[in-house]
Structures are given as C-alpha cells and as structure tokens.
C-alpha cells in the first residue's frame, strides 16, 4: 500500500517516527508530509531515514519553509492509496473540515481522492470542545475516518482522552481504510467467532483451552479490509481490532447467545472460536476445598454454536453462507467432510494438528474442503497472511456462485 503520512505540530509527533517505521517494515511505501509546526517537533531527516523516501512539506534542515513547489500537492495526492494524519492537531482538523488549504498537507487533503484517516492528539478539554467535535463530525460526513485518541496521562500534565492512539491501532486503522475491497464481500454483514471460551468451576478455577484468538481476529481484519461489515464475537483477552462491532464473551453459552442474536441479520459467518465442548455441571459460588479421597469433576456438554447456526441457515435467494474449521489429528478428510455435511457448512478449513502445528504456532496450512472435495491448500503462511489468503479464496468462490 502507498501511504501518505501527514504529521502536524503536537508533542505526539515524535511517535510518528515509530509509526512510519512500523508501516515501512510491514512492506508499505511511506511518504511523510510535515507541516511547519510538525517540523518543530521532528525532523525530515528522521522520517526520510526511516522510510527510505523523501520527506515533503516544511524542511528546516535546509533552512527553508517550503511552499508547495509546482504541482507537488497534486502528485502526492495522486500517489497515495491512503492518507493518514497522525498526530492531527485541532488546527489541521479545523482547516480540513472547512476546506482551507494553507500548506502542502492541507492542500493535498483537498486534492486527494484516496481515503483519509485522522489520528487526533490534543489536550482533553480541546478534544471535548464542541468546535473540535463538530469539525470531526463534518470530516466523517465527508467520508473521512477517525481513530479515536486513547485515555491516559497527557504531556500537558492532565489525565483524560486526547492521547494519540497506540501506533499498532493506527496501523490497523490504515489497513482497514486503505485495504483492497473485494466486490463479493463489500457491504456484507459477516459474523466471526474467535478466541477461547472459559467455564468457571469456582471463583478461582476455570476450564479453558490454549487458543489465543489470533487466527479468528486476523480473519475478521481481512474481511473488514475487503469491505465487509464485521461483527466479532470474541472470547479471551485480545484487543478488539479497529472498525468492527465486538461482543466480548466468556462462556460457550454467552457466545451462543451473542451469535443467535446476530445471525438472522447476517449474510455469512466464519466460526473460528475454540469453543469449550464441556462445562462443569455446577459452578461453585465459593472456592472448592480439597477433599481426602479421589475427586471427580462432573461435566456436561455445551451447545455446538456452528451446528445451531447451520440449522437456522437461510438458503436460496438471500441465502446465508457458513464456514467452519476442523482441527483433526487423524482421518482428516473423512472427519472434515463429516463436519461439512453435519453442520450444513459451505466450506470447512481443515487444520492438520497431527504434526504439532496447533495453537500459537506461527506458520500454518489450511485445506478448504467443500462439497466437491478438498481444494488446493492455503499456506504454509503466518496467521495474518493465511487469513488474507482464506478470505481471498472465499471471496472468489462466493463471487462465482
Ligand atoms: N464449534 C462451535 N461450537 C462448539 C464447538 C465447535 O461453534 N461448541 C465450531 C468451531 O468454531 C469450529 C468448528 O466448530 O469452526 C469445529 O470445531 P472442532 O473442535 O474441530 O470440532 P467439533 O465440532 O467440536 O468436533 P470434535 O470435537 O468431534 O472434533
């Protein structure tokens, strides 16, 4: 992706160097544009060194405050796949909201046809001021996207909202805003389940599994980047990605309830959660004391969420699609095909766990299995790329049905 990173004059400008490096390391082409005030906090040399590209706009290193020479603003505006302003001051938000073009950055913000993302950072009172909020509303009405500032201790000594969002979150938002849309998934409502579930035995003990939730979260991100409207039902403690409604759940029953609530409004679902198949018959309200003799734990089955969604699946016109996983250590194809049929799935992704490639392992391979049989395997790839490959595979297949 070609990312134009605008940096305006706030103390958080120093974090833009890390953001530029992070984006460059992830394989993006990054060009920075500094405002005059931004260049008082961070130098063009720093940014050019980190990105391997020229830094545009104000350049005090060369003892000049450059106006925009020739048609630089148009060339940069056309070059970008996405424009991100981080940090964005109240001043720059105000200029852009009102169509003012006083320097290179504000001019190219008007000239570009690329999507625009703002990562504001300022004092809490400024952030909450109706003028700033009205400007943000105006920018959103133009189709711009915002990555909200975080709460915390601010450089001015106050605590509250206004801290530049975490750079990982800004990078995630840039992906979401600038990602390549896939026509068959654009605007579709898609449910994704991810992460482990936890079943409490008593106030201090629980039954869970080793799933991190990373694969499901990466699938949710890839669907979002493709233009789908993602509804994530998430177990475990991982942060919710940018730009999707997330319902946090703890138990299999809570995950089932959240999914049942969403499913009728969905076009499709990818179930990647590692749902506990059993829960304790009883949850003790007080910590259970150890006994003298042998002890047994009575378990009961939880509901199979995917099976339930399959039973409720709409078919025919306006039909829904449903994809699941099959983690198998033996009789792989046989078991995966049985799950496909039993749970009324459109595809099942077979994950061979016999070779030790289970939870938390980096590179993984998935074999899509559909009614006609197994398809070409996806991977081996790291989870983020595997998720993109999975979504691209499904987008092509669902687009041709
Ligand atoms: N799944 C679910 N609800 C459950 C159990 C599993 O929605 N209670 C979903 C998972 O998210 C996954 C798929 O079902 O997409 C398959 O999970 P897996 O554990 O491989 O298989 P099971 O159906 O539980 O069957 P088995 O334990 O017999 O392998």
């Amino acid at each position: 992706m070609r990312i134009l990173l605008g940096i305006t004059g706030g103390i958080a400008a120093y974090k833009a160097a890390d953001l530029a490096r992070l984006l460059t390391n992830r394989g993006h082409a990054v060009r920075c544009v500094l405002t005059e005030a931004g260049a008082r906090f961070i130098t063009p040399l720093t940014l050019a060194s980190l990105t391997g590209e020229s830094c545009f706009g104000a350049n005090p290193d060369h003892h000049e405050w450059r106006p925009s020479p020739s048609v630089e603003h148009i060339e940069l505006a056309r070059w970008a796949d996405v424009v991100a302003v981080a940090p964005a001051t109240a001043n720059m938000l105000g200029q852009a909201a009102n169509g003012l073009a006083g320097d290179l950055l504000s001019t190219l913000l008007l000239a570009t046809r690329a999507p625009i993302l703002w990562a504001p950072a300022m004092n809490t009172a400024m952030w909450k001021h109706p003028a700033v909020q009205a400007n943000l509303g105006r920018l959103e009405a133009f189709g711009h996207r915002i990555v909200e500032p975080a709460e915390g201790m601010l450089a001015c000594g106050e605590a509250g909202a206004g801290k530049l969002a975490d750079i990982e979150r800004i990078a995630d938002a840039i992906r979401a805003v600038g990602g390549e849309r896939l026509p068959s998934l654009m605007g579709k409502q898609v449910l994704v389940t991810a992460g482990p579930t936890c079943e409490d035995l008593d106030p201090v003990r629980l039954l869970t599994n080793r799933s991190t939730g990373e694969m499901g979260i990466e699938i949710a991100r890839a669907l979002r980047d493709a233009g789908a409207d993602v509804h994530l039902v998430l177990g475990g403690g991982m942060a919710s990605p940018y730009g999707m409604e997330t319902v946090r759940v703890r138990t299999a029953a809570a995950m089932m309830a959240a999914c049942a609530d969403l499913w009728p409004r969905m076009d499709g679902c990818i179930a990647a959660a590692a749902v506990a198949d059993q829960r304790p018959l009883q949850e003790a309200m007080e910590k259970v004391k150890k006994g003298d003799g042998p002890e047994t734990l009575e378990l009961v089955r939880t509901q199979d969420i995917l099976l339930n969604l399959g039973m409720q699946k709409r078919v025919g016109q306006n039909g829904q699609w449903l994809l699941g996983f099959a983690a198998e250590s033996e009789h792989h194809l046989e078991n995966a095909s049985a799950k496909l049929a039993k749970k009324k799935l459109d595809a099942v992704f077979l994950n061979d766990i016999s070779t030790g490639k289970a939870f938390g392992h980096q590179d993984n391979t998935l074999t899509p299995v559909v009614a006609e049989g197994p398809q070409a395997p996806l991977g081996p790839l790291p989870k983020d790329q595997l998720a993109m490959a999975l979504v691209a595979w499904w987008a092509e297949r669902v687009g041709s049905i």
Side-chain angles (χ1 to χ4, degrees):
M1 207 187 295
R2 291 191 303 238
I3 303 167
L4 207 61
L5 182 61
I7 299 158
T8 67
I11 179 59
Y14 79 93
K15 296 181 186 167
D18 266 344
L19 177 60
R21 183 171 64 170
L22 180 75
L23 295 168
T24 307
N25 287 349
R26 292 198 177 154
H28 302 295
V30 182
R31 289 186 183 168
C32 296
V33 178
L34 270 173
T35 62
E36 188 175 325
R40 293 184 187 275
F41 287 96
I42 187 162
T43 74
L45 182 61
T46 307
L47 297 166
S49 306
L50 291 171
T51 60
E53 295 266 359
S54 303
C55 179
F56 299 84
N59 195 340
D61 290 349
H62 291 112
H63 308 290
E64 59 171 334
W65 299 104
R66 281 196 299 169
S68 341
S70 67
V71 285
E72 198 174 56
H73 61 296
I74 303 296
E75 278 166 21
L76 286 170
R78 283 187 190 143
W79 176 84
D81 293 322
V82 56
V83 179
V85 186
T89 55
N91 182 44
M92 186 53 72
L93 291 168
Q95 284 190 54
N98 291 286
L100 301 178
D103 64 1
L104 179 62
L105 181 59
S106 52
T107 312
L108 73 83
L109 282 164
L110 278 184
T112 193
R113 291 185 177 88
I116 296 172
L117 177 78
W118 296 91
M122 64 196 74
N123 163 274
T124 306
M126 290 171 74
W127 170 248
K128 290 192 173 150
H129 197 285
V132 171
Q133 291 301 318
N135 285 335
L136 287 164
R138 223 169 130 79
L139 292 169
E140 281 183 309
F142 298 155
H144 298 194
R145 302 281 297 274
I146 317 287
V147 53
E148 299 265 325
E151 301 221 350
M153 198 64 202
L154 306 177
C156 58
E158 281 180 32
K163 205 176 161 70
L164 183 72
D166 186 72
I167 59 163
E168 281 282 356
R169 188 158 180 85
I170 301 174
D172 190 29
I174 290 173
R175 250 187 78 167
V177 171
E180 190 197 335
R181 306 298 189 232
L182 302 176
S184 61
L185 293 173
M186 255 182 84
K188 300 291 181 203
Q189 305 294 318
V190 183
L191 167 64
V192 176
T193 70
T197 55
C198 293
E199 306 297 334
D200 293 316
L201 292 160
D202 70 14
V204 291
R205 303 179 182 98
L206 54 96
L207 292 179
T208 187
N209 58 64
R210 288 206 230 159
S211 162
T212 58
E214 203 184 326
M215 189 62 200
I217 284 179
E218 289 301 341
I219 288 171
R221 282 199 171 107
L223 286 164
R224 171 203 66 188
D225 297 355
D229 200 351
V230 180
H231 305 260
L232 178 64
V233 177
L234 180 62
M238 283 189 74
S240 159
Y242 175 84
M244 63 186 73
E245 179 209 351
T246 304
V247 184
R248 288 195 168 274
V249 293
R250 182 170 172 79
T251 62
M255 187 172 274
M256 178 71 246
C259 291
D261 184 39
L262 284 162
W263 188 225
R265 291 183 278 130
M266 298 293 113
D267 295 300
C269 168
I270 305 186
V275 187
D277 286 322
Q278 297 90 12
R279 65 171 176 78
L281 176 64
Q282 266 171 350
E283 182 191 336
M285 288 304 116
E286 304 298 334
K287 187 181 164 200
V288 176
K289 293 286 179 196
K290 56 182 168 293
D292 288 332
E295 302 187 64
T296 46
L297 188 58
E298 257 194 285
L299 299 175
V300 288
R301 291 292 309 275
T302 58
Q303 286 197 68
D304 189 321
I305 299 170
L306 196 50
L307 180 70
N308 268 277
L309 300 182
M311 300 306 229
Q312 311 292 324
K313 188 170 96 165
R314 271 196 314 271
V315 288
Q317 241 199 348
N318 195 25
Q320 292 168 305
W321 48 262
L322 191 55
L323 314 181
F325 283 77
E328 307 295 342
S329 58
E330 56 174 358
H331 308 302
H332 307 95
L333 262 180
E334 218 176 302
N335 287 339
S337 303
K339 274 176 197 169
L340 183 82
K342 185 179 165 205
K343 302 192 188 188
K344 298 191 174 12
L345 306 180
D346 296 274
V348 64
F349 298 100
L350 171 60
N351 187 5
D352 178 359
I353 54 167
S354 58
T355 46
K357 290 185 170 176
F359 302 122
H361 195 279
Q362 267 310 300
D363 283 12
N364 207 343
T365 302
L366 291 171
T367 305
V369 180
V370 294
E372 306 94 270
Q375 307 293 297
L378 309 169
L381 286 167
K383 282 180 180 157
D384 53 347
Q385 291 172 39
L386 186 60
M388 286 186 225
L390 182 157
V391 167
W393 174 82
W394 178 246
E396 202 176 314
R397 187 170 168 88
V398 77
S400 66
I401 291 174

